[in-house]
Amino acid sequence: MATITTPTKSVAVNPLKQSQPLGAAIAFLGLKGVMPLFHGSQGCTAFAKVVLVRHFREAIPLATTAMTEVSTILGGEDNVGAAILTLVEKAQPEIIGLCTTGLTETRGDDMERILKSFREEHPELNHLPIVSVATPDFKGALQDGYAAAVESIVSTIPTITATITAKSSIEPSPNQVVILVSAAFGPGDVQEIKEIVSAFGLSPIVIPDLSLSLDGHLGDTYSAVTAGGTTLEQLQSVGNSVFTIALGDSMRGAAEILQKQLGIPYEVFPHLTGLRAVDEFLQALMDLSGLSVPQPYLHQRRQLQDAMLDTHFFFGRKRVALALEPDLLATITQWLLSMGAEIHAAVTTTKSPLLQTLPIETVVIGDLEDFEQLAGGADLLIGNSNVAPIARRLNIPLYRLGFPVFDRLGNGQKCTVGYRGTTQLLFEVGNLFLEQEEAHSPTISSAPPHSNSQKA
């Protein structure tokens, strides 16, 4: 059981966390034909857009209600209505994801009343889902905004589109499952998860499906909104699913909503990195489908076992300092401990019930100043690109993970889940440990001489 501590200083220095609206925007970008709309100033939206573009290196659809000093004082209702009408005319979105910001939350705009008034004035747009989510910048972090957006998606769209659902051409399927994916999983992870689930004969509806929108691929035509992701038709057919798989503890709330509103049972898997975690996930898929594990995954499991044997010499007793969002922090902590490494420091962005269950002494909810003070003496740092200056000052290697990673390529396809993803993660981190040992002892062999004998 970990002790959760929060520094008492009155200011964040070199912040680690990203804002709730940014997290909500990422979740909405996993829906097809969506336009995230920030109810705030142009600066709020521009900042989020820059960070998203730098991380994914893709064109990011993101709109703003463009609040000014005057509209902030007098009220932003007209701005919301004007922005929605403009988006319908210019971009023709299938879904609008409406996120509040610190500006409008501080003012206290009643979004439920504003949307109700808009619906009454424009009944011709009643077919357009507008998913509203409260995401104040001044509290919480990226993971909170992302989870809040997913909860709003699963609680809003199946309800307001009930009449459309009845007309849907999708037939109920006994093999259909809902997969709720937390902010800890990138597009490459989602693609791997879909392939694993589909291999068991199951038909997954992934919410949100970033693997179709932010995986880094060239489209045939320009689109002002997301060209891929979970479709509106899939969202409307969620009620036909037989089970919900929630990936990441922050998805528990969304899974509970589906159970309460649609009667779909669920199970939460905190992470899918590491031999035991993937074994448990595949066992659940076996129970759901009634099928045995497909042969390719049996082979991938053997590859992972071999990789663990090859790399555990370099992980043992290594001290690792982590600066990650709670779900991802829990994932990497469990995985590193399973490989014999030690958690030298753990700093995260926001509260989560999952943190207390971690088998380490302390988790600090703080900023990168706290992280730099705690990370001294570690063998490896793991965090986003903002940790890079700290790594240079401390002269400690950095493995870039989380959001944003703007100084490395391939974030849209990076995979750290399943047997295959865990194997790749082992090699990438193991090579950093190996390079570190070589730097301190240039004559060291790249592989311990007793490794082959132990494998034999």
Side-chain angles (χ1 to χ4, degrees):
M1 295 287 289
T3 301
I4 312 302
T5 65
T6 303
T8 56
K9 61 186 181 184
S10 56
V11 63
V13 181
N14 197 7
L16 167 65
K17 67 180 180 181
Q18 307 295 320
S19 70
Q20 283 206 69
L22 179 56
I26 295 174
F28 283 127
L29 290 171
L31 308 183
K32 184 178 183 299
V34 78
M35 176 62 80
L37 172 61
F38 281 13
H39 182 32
S41 69
Q42 289 182 330
C44 299
T45 310
F47 176 79
K49 189 160 186 167
V50 167
V51 177
L52 289 166
V53 169
R54 294 184 75 192
H55 178 84
F56 291 108
R57 296 177 186 268
E58 299 292 330
I60 301 294
L62 203 58
T64 176
T65 58
M67 296 285 285
T68 64
E69 296 89 338
V70 174
S71 58
T72 299
I73 295 172
L74 299 180
E77 183 170 348
D78 292 342
N79 289 55
V80 174
I84 294 174
L85 293 175
T86 301
L87 291 176
V88 170
E89 179 185 357
K90 303 292 185 183
Q92 299 177 341
E94 298 175 43
I95 305 170
I96 290 178
L98 180 57
C99 313
T100 59
T101 62
L103 179 69
T104 50
E105 285 285 343
T106 302
R107 187 190 180 282
D109 278 353
D110 186 345
M111 298 308 298
E112 184 176 351
R113 183 190 62 77
I114 290 175
L115 284 179
K116 182 179 179 181
S117 299
F118 178 81
R119 293 288 191 192
E120 291 173 351
E121 295 173 5
H122 299 279
E124 73 278 9
L125 295 179
N126 282 344
H127 68 282
L128 175 66
I130 303 175
V131 183
S132 177
V133 56
T135 50
D137 298 86
F138 47 77
K139 66 177 183 180
L142 182 146
Q143 179 176 296
D144 298 309
Y146 183 104
V150 175
E151 291 175 12
S152 188
I153 290 168
V154 300
S155 62
T156 302
I157 291 182
T159 302
I160 68 170
T161 59
T163 55
I164 299 176
T165 304
K167 300 175 183 177
S168 173
S169 60
I170 295 180
E171 296 294 332
S173 170
N175 293 327
Q176 180 174 296
V177 295
V178 178
I179 300 179
L180 302 173
V181 186
S182 83
F185 299 85
D189 297 325
V190 175
Q191 181 60 41
E192 181 72 10
I193 293 165
K194 286 166 58 179
E195 291 177 3
I196 293 174
V197 174
S198 299
F200 282 84
L202 299 171
S203 178
I205 294 179
V206 181
I207 306 174
D209 190 350
L210 296 174
S211 71
L212 298 175
S213 56
L214 294 175
D215 62 326
H217 68 275
L218 292 177
D220 295 329
T221 59
Y222 169 76
S223 175
V225 295
T226 53
T230 316
T231 66
L232 180 57
E233 195 173 37
Q234 287 177 315
L235 293 172
Q236 291 164 347
S237 69
V238 160
N240 298 330
S241 305
V242 296
F243 199 78
T244 296
I245 298 172
L247 302 180
D249 194 68
S250 63
M251 290 294 99
R252 187 181 298 276
E256 290 174 348
I257 290 172
L258 288 179
Q259 184 182 49
K260 182 178 180 180
Q261 292 190 347
L262 301 172
I264 304 174
Y266 72 90
E267 183 173 358
V268 178
F269 295 85
H271 61 94
L272 295 182
T273 300
L275 186 64
R276 176 178 294 182
V278 183
D279 283 350
E280 292 175 352
F281 183 58
L282 264 59
Q283 180 62 56
L285 295 179
M286 289 173 60
D287 297 339
L288 275 173
S289 66
L291 300 179
S292 57
V293 177
Q295 186 63 35
Y297 295 103
L298 295 176
H299 186 67
Q300 288 183 16
R301 190 177 191 276
R302 297 188 189 101
Q303 290 177 319
L304 173 55
Q305 289 175 306
D306 187 77
M308 292 171 68
L309 189 56
D310 289 341
T311 57
H312 83 276
F313 302 103
F314 307 106
F315 278 77
R317 306 295 302 270
K318 286 294 193 304
R319 296 160 298 179
V320 185
L322 308 174
L324 299 165
E325 294 274 342
D327 277 1
L328 194 52
L329 180 84
T331 297
I332 300 303
T333 295
Q334 298 283 4
W335 171 68
L336 286 171
L337 292 176
S338 72
M339 289 300 298
E342 299 174 358
I343 303 304
H344 182 72
V347 179
T348 191
T349 59
T350 184
K351 296 178 180 178
S352 168
L354 187 62
L355 299 176
Q356 294 181 340
T357 67
L358 296 179
I360 56 178
E361 291 185 3
T362 305
V363 177
V364 177
I365 299 176
D367 54 27
L368 289 179
E369 183 187 60
D370 304 315
F371 179 71
E372 185 167 0
Q373 293 172 352
L374 295 169
D379 297 303
L380 178 70
L381 310 182
I382 297 182
N384 61 33
S385 293
N386 292 323
V387 179
I390 296 174
R392 287 192 289 270
R393 287 195 290 271
L394 297 178
N395 193 28
I396 300 174
L398 168 66
Y399 182 74
R400 290 164 175 80
L401 193 66
F403 183 94
V405 175
F406 47 77
D407 54 355
R408 291 293 184 274
L409 302 175
N411 297 315
Q413 298 183 20
K414 187 180 184 65
C415 176
T416 61
V417 302
Y419 296 130
R420 186 174 65 84
T422 304
T423 301
Q424 290 302 314
L425 187 61
L426 271 174
F427 289 146
E428 291 174 3
V429 176
N431 282 332
L432 288 177
F433 287 138
L434 182 56
E435 291 174 5
Q436 189 182 31
E437 291 191 8
E438 289 176 339
H440 288 89
S441 302
T443 58
I444 191 173
S445 170
S446 61
H450 55 286
S451 62
N452 289 333
S453 61
Q454 288 199 5
K455 286 174 68 174

